[in-house]
Structures are given as structure tokens and as C-alpha cells.
Amino acid sequence: MDTSARADGMRQGRAAPGIESGRPVAWVLRSAELADVEAIAELRATVMRPDLERLGRFDEHRVRQRLRDTFSPQHTLVIVADGAFAGCVTLRPAEDGRWLEHFYLAPSLQGRGLGSAVLRTLLKRIDADGVPVRLNVLQGSAARRLYERHGFTVEVQDPIDVYMVRRPGAGSLGT
């Protein structure tokens, strides 16, 4: 994937073609703003609902409020695909690296290569810093396979969460 920095600080690229559309998804990353919080909270509720319901933990209010309570626009990027809000991702500094959080993608864009394209871009940046990146994913979430394809391994897990880490340069950034 060819990713280039633009003068306005956004990154752009193309994801793999979708099965249904047959064409690549044009996308950019932009810095989040406070005004993005409600769209992101709503996307979080939509994306996480099936896994949270399966785990018996879905709460209509709490799923949105937890995002609002932890929203960090200075560490969050908004994914814009084909000119529209498509998702977000937060890269929060940690004592020994970065935490990847709130990586949500609109359901209509999942499975089309966009998540992998965005993740590759972010991991290249983190690898350049030579630090590990950590995240947690819900037990049974399909997102775990995405992270494993990009070099994340399980550090610890409990009945709800799987905590994963990726060391610099681990995994294939070409997938």
C-alpha cells in the first residue's frame, strides 16, 4: 500500500477491494476533534454490541458513556473513507510503548481490507519508534484475528478480555 503524508497532516491510502464493491476504498486519517465524540460513541455501540451481548455485558447507556469518559482527541485519529466518517483509532502513550484503543470501523466497511490498511500504517509509525504496542479485545471477537495477522500475541486473558502485545517489527506488515 502506498501511504503518503499530506501537507495537512492526514495520511491517505487505498485498502483492498471489497467483495461487494470490487473497488478499493480511498481513505485518510485526520486528527479527532471534540465534536467527533458522539459519532464515535455511536459507532462504538454499534460495533461492540454483538460481542457485548454474547458476553452478557451490553448496556445501551454504558457502552457510549465509557467512550465519552475516556475520549482523548489529542491521541485519536478519525478514519475517513470515500469522503465519509468510517471509524476511529486511539494510540495512547504508555509507560513502555503505546496502547491501541477504540479501533472501530463501520460495519459496512469491515472485511474489505480497510482495517488492515489502517493498522499497517499505524504499526509502521510505532515500529519506527521502536516500542511495543498493546491492546485488549473481547473474548471471541473477530478483531482478534486481525491483530494476530499483524503480529500481536496474547499476554494474558480473563473470561471477558484478551490482552495482546506486539513487539516492534513483529508480524507481517504486508498482509
Side-chain angles (χ1 to χ4, degrees):
M1 177 189 79
D2 179 33
T3 313
S4 58
R6 293 178 18 176
D8 60 6
M10 293 171 43
R11 301 256 181 224
Q12 60 186 358
R14 293 206 175 272
I19 294 168
E20 297 159 52
S21 72
R23 68 174 182 78
V25 177
W27 61 275
V28 296
L29 296 173
R30 70 162 173 83
S31 297
E33 303 169 358
L34 282 174
D36 293 315
V37 69
E38 290 307 316
I40 293 172
E42 191 58 38
L43 179 60
R44 180 180 197 267
T46 299
V47 169
M48 292 191 68
R49 184 177 194 133
D51 286 329
L52 289 171
E53 284 180 340
R54 180 179 42 76
L55 294 168
R57 299 184 59 90
F58 183 76
D59 177 291
E60 193 77 42
H61 172 73
R62 188 174 67 189
V63 71
R64 291 170 179 84
Q65 194 59 46
R66 286 188 69 175
L67 183 282
R68 291 179 191 117
D69 291 345
T70 61
F71 185 59
S72 173
Q74 68 270 29
H75 301 297
T76 301
L77 297 168
V78 169
I79 304 162
V80 178
D82 290 338
F85 172 78
C88 64
V89 61
T90 299
L91 280 174
R92 183 174 47 84
E95 188 174 307
D96 68 339
R98 307 280 188 291
W99 270 94
L100 188 136
E101 303 172 316
H102 304 303
F103 189 11
Y104 310 121
L105 191 59
S108 64
L109 294 169
Q110 293 176 9
R112 296 176 60 185
L114 179 57
S116 284
V118 170
L119 190 55
R120 268 193 309 274
T121 297
L122 298 174
L123 293 174
K124 283 179 186 177
R125 289 184 197 174
I126 296 167
D127 282 354
D129 293 338
V131 297
V133 60
R134 288 183 167 76
L135 58 82
N136 74 293
V137 64
L138 292 172
Q139 285 284 2
S141 172
R144 179 175 171 176
R145 289 189 303 276
L146 169 70
Y147 299 131
E148 288 172 338
R149 284 195 312 269
H150 290 275
F152 285 86
T153 58
V154 174
E155 268 191 315
V156 67
Q157 54 188 316
D158 61 36
I160 304 296
D161 292 301
V162 178
Y163 293 87
M164 304 180 82
V165 64
R166 182 183 178 278
R167 305 284 173 210
S172 171
L173 292 178
T175 60

